[in-house]
Amino acid sequence: MVCFRANPSFFLLSFSAFLFISSAFGNSLLHHTRRSPEVFVGREYGGVVQWDTRRSLAEGSAGNSSLILAETRTYRKDPLDNFKRYSGGWNISNQHYWASVGLTAAPFFIIAGIWFVLFGLTLCIVCLRYCCCPRAPFGYSRACYALSLILLIFFTLSAIAGCIVLYTGQGNFHSSTTSTLEYVVNQADTIVENLRNVSGYLAAAKGVAVDSIFLPSDVRKNIDNIETKINSSASTLSQTTTDNSKSIQDGLDAVRLALIIIAAIMLFLAFLGFLFSILGLQPLVYFLVMIGWILVAGTFILCGVFLLLHNVVADTCVAMDEWVQNPTAHTALDDILPCVDNATAQETLSQSKNVTYQLVVVVDRMIINISNVNFPPIAGPLYFNQSGPLMPVLCNPFYSNLKDRQCATGEVHLNNATEVWKNYVCQVSSSGICTTPGRLTPTFYNQMAAAVNVSYGLYRYAPFLVNLEDCTFVRDTFTGISNDHCPDLRRFSAWIYVGLVVVSAAVMFSLIFWVIYGRERRHRVYTKRSTARSLDNENKAI
Ligand SMILES: *[C@@H]1O[C@H](CO)[C@@H](O)[C@H](O)[C@H]1NC(C)=O
Ligand SMILES: *[C@@H]1O[C@H](CO)[C@@H](O)[C@H](O)[C@H]1NC(C)=O
Ligand SMILES: *[C@@H]1O[C@H](CO)[C@@H](O)[C@H](O)[C@H]1NC(C)=O
Ligand SMILES: *[C@@H]1O[C@H](CO)[C@@H](O)[C@H](O)[C@H]1NC(C)=O
Ligand SMILES: *[C@@H]1O[C@H](CO)[C@@H](O)[C@H](O)[C@H]1NC(C)=O
Ligand SMILES: *[C@@H]1O[C@H](CO)[C@@H](O)[C@H](O)[C@H]1NC(C)=O
Ligand SMILES: *[C@@H]1O[C@H](CO)[C@@H](O)[C@H](O)[C@H]1NC(C)=O
Ligand SMILES: *[C@@H]1O[C@H](CO)[C@@H](O)[C@H](O)[C@H]1NC(C)=O
Ligand SMILES: *[C@@H]1O[C@H](CO)[C@@H](O)[C@H](O)[C@H]1NC(C)=O
Ligand SMILES: *[C@@H]1O[C@H](CO)[C@@H](O)[C@H](O)[C@H]1NC(C)=O
């Protein structure tokens, strides 16, 4: 998510670059009218997609509805709106959403506050009473003593159980967040690799002579720009991904460490407190009570934070799922992700297929009409003393209606045409005439190779770029996250929060019972002693 959010302009850049290639070719290479299809207007210049076009297209054709993501899950009270229910659904750019999620954690913050104040006051009162008017303990009851001991043991055991849940939960949470992160980084790397490959094929255009037959110089310059843009998008994405994933990973590691330390401290505290109060070491018990008083307030606040986190994770998972299932609706995720609608994407795809088709037709015509013809020297510019075996023609992957076509035998495939044609290059004299058998001059070969590279790049990577453009790629990524990672993320964030609740509550009651038990114990000891003393006295009297 973070990397998608961090760099939305990246997608825009690469799509518009791509769209530009398609339209540039469509327009100038193939000599059809300069009028661009309407969808391309406004996209071509400066890498800026005009949102209005996209919106109106989306609303006009596919979805009239504006889908509210995770609507039932996020139907919560909103403190910023007089505690009315918030109905905007999952929308992280909306402060009401955050306020209403934050409110779900409020009980823990309130408990933390109340605990801090009340227990603090109680401690003060106990302390004052102890210091000002020390009284002889009285009122020993065997039942009270036993009960407080039992409850003390019970809460200590609960604290231990809570620590175990917390520890296991954080371990599992850490590994599921890490694997989710790896998955996202991996998807980003796939994008980067594809973009780098596209940029490699487009780089061919650079090496072509100025008077190229296939690539007019203005088109070449544009391809050059686009290649640089795609290259820099790839670099930016790769850089952002590396940086973000590193800092996220560091953050996760820190959370993990913090939770382990908290679990350990609470465990230690519960154990020591239990031990000291059983042994009747009152000063140490009071020291631990002071520490525990603050720690418990802290862990209650952490409970709230993790409950909030858990709710946001669950909301996001539901939102992703609903977004994936409703590709046409306008949702809050569209504000973050620059997706174009399906019709536009399909148009781009067919445009790029058409460019590939037309380029191959031009190249094949050159081979059939020029290279493979043995012209007499008087043929003028078409003659360069071509001779030798005939060159295989290039396989056109599409029919003229842009349906997929199988290669006929004897045709070379786009991906290795440049390899195969190398064998047909002759050596040339200074006047550009072949002096050895061959059907291509090196210049001619380079231009054909460039044309082949550009059309192969489009043919091979257009579907991928279109997938980026209409967010199919993002949908697939989200499907992967919501199917494979969400259940674990939700479960283990809940474990952490449950573990924290159990630990906090158990330690909280333990603190109280350390004090109560300590008091009961003192009373018991005192009562026993005084009973013994009075018995003694009676004996003496007798
Ligand atoms: C849009 O949706 C509303 C109800 O949600 C419906 O009444 C209306 O006919 C729809 N319009 C179109 C063009 O689909
Ligand atoms: C990118 O190109 C390299 C080498 O040409 C190839 O091995 C790799 O599979 C390509 N990657 C993608 C995603 O097509
Ligand atoms: C065409 O692309 C391939 C692979 O990217 C590259 O090896 C080759 O040099 C390119 N051809 C030209 C003429 O640039
Ligand atoms: C793409 O950018 C990298 C550095 O980011 C650079 O090394 C490489 O030469 C560039 N490739 C092209 C074809 O411009
Ligand atoms: C999300 O919230 C922002 C800010 O309040 C708002 O402008 C936007 O329209 C909301 N998006 C949706 C889809 O409701
Ligand atoms: C887009 O439309 C094409 C056909 O027009 C269809 O095959 C494809 O599934 C659609 N994609 C989405 C995401 O709707
Ligand atoms: C090339 O061949 C095509 C048929 O394949 C023919 O229609 C066209 O006129 C020829 N062009 C030249 C320049 O010879
Ligand atoms: C392909 O492009 C040419 C010229 O740009 C156009 O005349 C033709 O109709 C297009 N073909 C299809 C199937 O769109
Ligand atoms: C060219 O590629 C096709 C399929 O990709 C393969 O069948 C053929 O053997 C290759 N030819 C050469 C010369 O590499
Ligand atoms: C034309 O090519 C042949 C080899 O195929 C060579 O023997 C001959 O000298 C060349 N003619 C000229 C005028 O260079």
Side-chain angles (χ1 to χ4, degrees):
M1 276 311 299
V2 170
C3 60
F4 291 126
R5 211 152 44 93
N7 196 5
S9 63
F10 149 73
F11 286 104
L12 296 185
L13 197 65
S14 47
F15 305 152
S16 51
F18 171 63
L19 288 166
F20 182 78
I21 298 179
S22 302
S23 53
F25 270 105
N27 292 337
S28 50
L29 178 84
L30 304 169
H31 315 293
H32 81 110
T33 60
R34 288 299 308 180
R35 196 177 58 81
S36 304
E38 232 150 58
V39 288
F40 292 137
V41 174
R43 291 172 186 281
E44 312 184 306
Y45 304 103
V48 180
V49 168
Q50 285 192 343
W51 294 95
D52 303 345
T53 324
R54 181 170 75 92
R55 287 274 180 270
S56 59
L57 265 169
E59 276 153 22
S61 57
N64 152 26
S65 54
S66 181
L67 180 71
I68 295 176
L69 294 171
E71 190 175 7
T72 44
R73 259 205 74 87
T74 58
Y75 193 64
R76 306 183 175 110
K77 288 204 168 92
D78 176 12
L80 296 186
D81 191 20
N82 293 327
F83 294 92
K84 288 200 195 103
R85 293 281 180 172
Y86 166 74
S87 58
W90 185 92
N91 182 354
I92 54 169
S93 29
N94 193 332
Q95 60 186 14
H96 292 283
Y97 170 71
W98 287 107
S100 63
V101 183
L103 194 65
T104 58
F108 287 113
F109 299 145
I110 293 173
I111 290 178
I114 291 179
W115 159 257
F116 194 76
V117 172
L118 279 191
F119 196 73
L121 281 180
T122 318
L123 275 185
C124 284
I125 293 169
V126 168
C127 197
L128 281 179
R129 268 180 45 186
Y130 191 77
C131 300
C132 305
C133 34
R135 277 178 305 166
F138 63 93
Y140 166 66
S141 133
R142 189 178 289 267
C144 275
Y145 175 80
L147 190 66
S148 63
L149 181 60
I150 289 170
L151 286 178
L152 180 57
I153 293 174
F154 171 75
F155 286 118
T156 307
L157 289 180
S158 309
I160 292 173
C163 286
I164 293 172
V165 172
L166 178 59
Y167 182 79
T168 331
Q170 67 75 28
N172 290 333
F173 184 70
H174 186 259
S175 54
S176 61
T177 44
T178 305
S179 75
T180 311
L181 186 64
E182 272 169 12
Y183 174 71
V184 172
V185 168
N186 198 15
Q187 293 292 88
D189 286 347
T190 310
I191 297 181
V192 169
E193 192 187 338
N194 276 290
L195 290 182
R196 290 250 155 90
N197 283 5
V198 176
S199 135
Y201 284 107
L202 297 185
K206 254 186 202 162
V208 180
V210 180
D211 60 344
S212 169
I213 315 159
F214 301 105
L215 305 174
S217 67
D218 59 329
V219 174
R220 207 161 45 80
K221 217 165 67 203
N222 290 331
I223 292 182
D224 236 34
N225 286 342
I226 285 155
E227 188 219 327
T228 320
K229 277 184 192 162
I230 289 188
N231 196 5
S232 79
S233 310
S235 309
T236 316
L237 178 63
S238 140
Q239 191 61 41
T240 332
T241 316
T242 319
D243 292 353
N244 275 347
S245 71
K246 197 176 168 320
S247 51
I248 293 175
Q249 188 65 56
D250 287 351
L252 292 178
D253 290 346
V255 169
R256 175 198 171 95
L257 188 66
L259 287 176
I260 291 178
I261 291 176
I262 287 171
I265 288 182
M266 292 311 249
L267 191 63
F268 194 59
L269 185 72
F271 179 73
L272 272 192
F274 178 72
L275 201 67
F276 290 164
S277 55
I278 293 291
L279 297 179
L281 304 171
Q282 282 311 81
L284 286 177
V285 169
Y286 275 97
F287 177 66
L288 285 186
V289 165
M290 296 297 281
I291 294 179
W293 169 48
I294 295 168
L295 277 180
V296 165
T299 49
F300 268 120
I301 290 174
L302 263 187
C303 288
V305 171
F306 271 90
L307 176 60
L308 199 154
L309 179 80
H310 167 75
N311 279 332
V312 173
V313 166
D315 289 353
T316 308
C317 284
V318 171
M320 279 188 190
D321 216 34
E322 289 182 4
W323 185 72
V324 167
Q325 279 161 15
N326 297 282
T328 54
H330 170 64
T331 64
L333 260 171
D334 302 1
D335 298 339
I336 307 168
L337 297 167
C339 306
V340 303
D341 66 303
N342 198 10
T344 313
Q346 293 304 321
E347 174 138 17
T348 312
L349 191 58
S350 75
Q351 188 98 354
S352 77
K353 284 182 176 176
N354 200 357
V355 170
T356 305
Y357 168 79
Q358 304 277 1
L359 265 176
V360 174
V361 166
V362 174
V363 169
D364 277 349
R365 199 171 287 160
M366 293 294 176
I367 294 175
I368 295 168
N369 289 8
I370 302 176
S371 295
N372 283 350
V373 180
N374 295 323
F375 289 106
I378 54 161
L382 299 181
Y383 166 78
F384 48 89
N385 193 15
Q386 52 269 64
S387 62
L390 295 184
M391 271 176 70
V393 294
L394 189 56
C395 164
N396 203 328
F398 302 114
Y399 290 109
S400 61
N401 61 2
L402 308 183
K403 292 261 184 313
D404 287 344
R405 172 179 176 273
Q406 294 296 314
C407 293
T409 48
E411 293 181 336
V412 284
H413 205 267
L414 270 172
N415 65 359
N416 52 19
T418 46
E419 278 304 302
V420 176
W421 288 345
K422 260 188 193 140
N423 306 323
Y424 297 87
V425 180
C426 65
Q427 286 168 7
V428 283
S429 67
S430 54
S431 54
I433 302 293
C434 283
T435 54
T436 57
R439 296 207 163 264
L440 292 173
T441 63
T443 324
F444 200 10
Y445 170 79
N446 281 340
Q447 293 179 5
M448 287 176 85
V452 167
N453 263 9
V454 173
S455 38
Y456 181 64
L458 277 183
Y459 165 69
R460 169 83 167 69
Y461 291 99
F464 172 78
L465 292 177
V466 169
N467 277 354
L468 279 189
E469 185 190 48
D470 69 1
C471 289
T472 305
F473 192 84
V474 180
R475 283 180 204 281
D476 291 347
T477 305
F478 281 8
T479 309
I481 293 178
S482 101
N483 290 347
D484 301 339
H485 300 279
C486 269
D488 278 357
L489 284 177
R490 290 173 74 159
R491 178 152 14 107
F492 296 131
S493 59
W495 277 33
I496 293 186
Y497 130 73
V498 169
L500 277 171
V501 173
V502 174
V503 169
S504 315
V507 171
M508 178 174 99
F509 286 111
S510 296
L511 289 189
I512 296 171
F513 280 99
W514 294 343
V515 178
I516 294 178
Y517 175 78
R519 224 182 103 236
E520 294 296 327
R521 192 179 179 282
R522 250 180 332 120
H523 292 177
R524 178 161 177 260
V525 172
Y526 181 85
T527 315
K528 272 198 178 153
R529 219 178 275 153
S530 52
T531 323
R533 208 177 300 136
S534 52
L535 278 178
D536 231 27
N537 289 347
E538 276 168 29
N539 286 348
K540 268 187 200 146
I542 292 166

